Structure formats: C-alpha cells, structure tokens
Amino acid sequence: MTRPKIFITRFIPDPGLNLVKEHFLPDIWVQDLPPSRTELVELARGVDGLLCLLTDNIDCEVMDAIGPQLKVISNMAVGVDNVDVAAATLRGIPVGNTPGVLTDATADQTFALMLSAARRIVEADRFLKAGKWVTWHPSLLLGADFAGSTLGIIGFGRIGQAVAKRAQGFDMRVLYHSPYAKPAYGAHPVDLDTLLHESDFVSIHVPLKSETKHLVNAEFLSKMKPNAVLVNTARGGVLDQNALHHALKSNQIFAAALDVTDPEPLPMDSSLLELENCIIVPHLGSASKKTRDMMSLLAAQNLVAGLKGERLPNCVNPEVYNALSSRNSIGTM
Ligand code: DGY
C-alpha cells in the first residue's frame, strides 16, 4: 500500500501534530499567514487527507483540484462555513470538526466581552491612559447592570447553553431563540421579536449559513432596546456591519462587542473602528492553550480516522457513510 499523502495548512498545537506524525508523514505549511488559494491548491494536489483551518476556503474547485483520491477534510474548528460541506458530501468526502472542546472557552469569551461592553472597560482603560482621570465623579463612565437584566441568546446549542449557565450566576433572566432546542439552565424559549424587544443583552450563537447571513441587520437592530448590548462570538457574516455602525453611531443601541468580523482581519479603514461603544477583538473565542490543544487533537483524530477508512469521531456530514455503504453494497451484489 502506498503511503497516504497529507497536507496540514498551518502548524497546529503539538497534541494534534504528534498524533498525525505517529501515523503518517504530513506536509505542513509552516508560515504564519495562511497559504493563498493558489499555494493551497498546488500543495494539496494529490493528497489523501487535508487538515485545514477556518482561514482556508475549501470549496468545490479546491476539492476538484486536489483530486478524487481525497478521503477526508478535517477542519480545526467547530464552525465549518469555510468548507463547502454539500460539495464534499456529493464527492463522498467526510468533513470533520471540533465540537465540545471549545464550548467553555467561547462562553467565557462571550461573558468577558459582554461585561467589558456593559461596564465600558476598554473605553475606561483608554481614558485613564490618556491622562483624563482627574477625580472620582458620580457620573463618570457609567455602564449597564447585569443583575436583574435580561439576556437573549440566539442559537441555543452547546455554546448558547454554556452562556445561559454562566448567566444564572449573574442573576440574569435568560430568553433564547432556537428552532429545536429544549429549555436548559432556566432559559425560556421565545420568538425572535420577543427576545429583541425584551433583552438588555443579546448574544449570537448561530452558525453562518445562507439562512443566517446578515441575520443581524437594520430591522433586527431596530427592534432592540436603546440600552441593549450586542455580542457576537459566532461568525462575522451573521451581522451586517454597516447596519451595526449606524445603530451604534446613532445610539439606537448602547454598545456592541465583536469577537468575529467580516472579513477577517477587519480592514483598518472599517468605520466600526471609530466607535467608542464597539469593542472588537481578533477572533479569540477559543484562544486558550488547553482549548487549542484539544481542538488540534480532535482535528488530528478526525484526519487519522478518515485516512484509515474509519468513521470520523466528529463528522458534520455523516450521510456520506450511508452513501458509501450503499455504493459498496451495490458494488458487492
Ligand atoms: C470555531 O471553532 O469555529 C471557532 O470560531 C474557533 O475559535
């Protein structure tokens, strides 16, 4: 049997890299910036396994350029909007992701951002460092309270629920909007309009799909309370940044905190960067050492399983297995 060819699109943390190396001899893109599309196609052409990151756009053209021998695409992220999963399914290629291990880190980041926006922490830090702190004043940099406020969670999967769990400790009332999710952690299911009209904090936890693209638009923002804080730790494309800029500039809502933008990185001429009431950080939801180690390990487990012809431990398109087994059974009859 010939040795499988593998391409990993960046250095990933050791736990995953070591696991892959125990089994195979991967080619690794060692630069800090991701490979361009041309470089990716060039280096991945002919590989059996691809381990990629959310910065790599793996669409049908890339899959076809890699070739029909491609057995597995393992994405080191829980979100797979950078991979054309439908195209992979059509080609019988399982796509792996890394759910669960980044739930707590992302929920923590959501709370860090929510608190920072509510209590104007970034603005206050800048104020002090600019030498503007002359005295304690009863109305200096006043923010919003958590206790007794209402938090609206849009998308009540693992991360949304972990956010609700944390909100209990802050004495918040929690509403959620999610088509099929069952209530948990004292959160109440409501329709989207009710959530927007009643929430002091709105946190986004939906994947980016055609149905959720620009879910947060001018109409959505117009339904929020004037004191409301919006937090997005999901994907930048879920939010229309022009509409958000208008809502923040005109004080239609109080503040926003974004972990993700569209595009990433956010261009330095983005009008959002002028706003004091908008915190923006560079996609750090899962950025803790332990979490990234676990993501790398899960991604490697998916890759290794796919190359060995085994079912991926975390597969976003398990229907490929039905298609494969029916193809096999047709072949053996
Ligand atoms: C993911 O895994 O989708 C996250 O966005 C990475 O932080």
Side-chain angles (χ1 to χ4, degrees):
M1 194 180 105
T2 54
R3 205 172 55 197
K5 284 177 71 185
I6 295 154
F7 184 53
I8 305 184
T9 63
R10 215 88 63 82
F11 256 126
I12 59 168
D14 281 345
L17 206 51
N18 293 341
L19 178 71
V20 177
K21 285 179 176 170
E22 268 172 38
H23 298 263
F24 307 106
L25 229 172
D27 283 328
I28 305 169
W29 179 259
V30 293
Q31 299 182 34
D32 282 339
L33 290 180
S36 68
R37 189 177 172 83
T38 318
E39 289 162 332
L40 173 66
V41 163
E42 195 124 309
L43 290 159
R45 199 184 301 282
V47 299
D48 303 281
L50 178 70
L51 195 157
C52 53
L53 306 189
L54 55 80
T55 43
D56 307 309
N57 180 17
I58 312 298
D59 57 20
C60 51
E61 262 175 44
V62 170
M63 290 175 209
D64 288 341
I66 293 175
Q69 76 299 328
L70 183 61
K71 286 191 190 61
V72 53
I73 298 171
S74 172
N75 201 39
M76 197 186 110
V78 66
V80 286
D81 46 284
N82 59 307
V83 179
D84 186 337
V85 177
T89 307
L90 263 179
R91 289 158 180 75
I93 306 167
V95 177
N97 72 339
T98 63
V101 294
L102 48 79
T103 301
D104 284 329
T106 309
D108 290 347
Q109 176 82 340
T110 303
F111 256 84
L113 289 171
M114 206 149 70
L115 277 164
S116 301
R119 299 303 297 270
R120 302 170 68 176
I121 301 296
V122 176
E123 190 185 346
D125 178 74
R126 277 202 215 110
F127 173 90
L128 181 144
K129 289 177 181 164
K132 294 184 184 166
W133 186 20
V134 289
T135 183
W136 185 91
H137 191 283
S139 51
L140 177 64
L141 287 164
L142 301 186
D145 283 305
F146 263 45
S149 67
T150 297
L151 166 63
I153 299 175
I154 301 181
F156 206 56
R158 292 183 194 84
I159 299 172
Q161 291 183 31
V163 169
K165 185 177 172 189
R166 282 155 179 74
Q168 288 186 313
F170 283 89
D171 292 331
M172 298 170 100
R173 169 182 173 243
V174 183
L175 307 177
Y176 74 88
H177 178 68
S178 207
Y180 310 108
K182 295 212 176 76
Y185 302 112
H188 307 284
V190 289
D191 61 69
L192 186 58
D193 279 5
T194 306
L195 183 145
L196 296 176
H197 286 134
E198 295 190 11
S199 297
D200 304 294
F201 297 89
V202 173
S203 192
I204 310 294
H205 300 284
V206 290
L208 177 61
K209 295 181 168 180
S210 50
E211 313 88 75
T212 57
K213 173 96 182 155
H214 288 189
L215 167 75
V216 181
N217 55 20
E219 191 192 346
F220 177 113
L221 291 159
S222 73
K223 293 177 182 164
M224 289 174 66
K225 293 165 80 167
N227 66 307
V229 171
L230 175 76
V231 179
N232 186 11
T233 54
R235 282 291 183 266
V238 174
L239 190 153
D240 175 348
Q241 288 172 184
N242 290 329
L244 179 67
H245 178 263
H246 175 76
L248 289 169
K249 184 126 187 157
S250 58
N251 294 319
Q252 198 181 339
I253 65 170
F254 178 67
L258 312 179
D259 186 57
V260 285
T261 61
D262 183 21
E264 292 183 357
L266 187 67
M268 286 314 286
D269 62 358
S270 164
S271 56
L272 286 177
L273 295 174
E274 302 157 3
L275 302 173
E276 205 63 90
N277 56 349
C278 187
I279 298 174
I280 312 175
V281 296
H283 203 148
L284 298 174
S286 62
S288 79
K289 165 90 174 72
K290 185 177 129 203
T291 301
R292 290 282 162 84
D293 280 355
M294 290 302 296
M295 288 168 69
S296 132
L297 189 61
L298 251 56
Q301 286 167 346
N302 283 331
L303 181 79
V304 170
L307 287 165
K308 288 183 165 174
E310 293 164 7
R311 211 180 166 97
L312 311 197
N314 292 288
C315 184
V316 297
N317 57 345
E319 59 276 20
V320 287
Y321 296 112
N322 306 336
L324 286 175
S325 62
S326 58
R327 247 187 276 158
N328 286 345
S329 55
I330 290 166
T332 52
M333 269 173 77

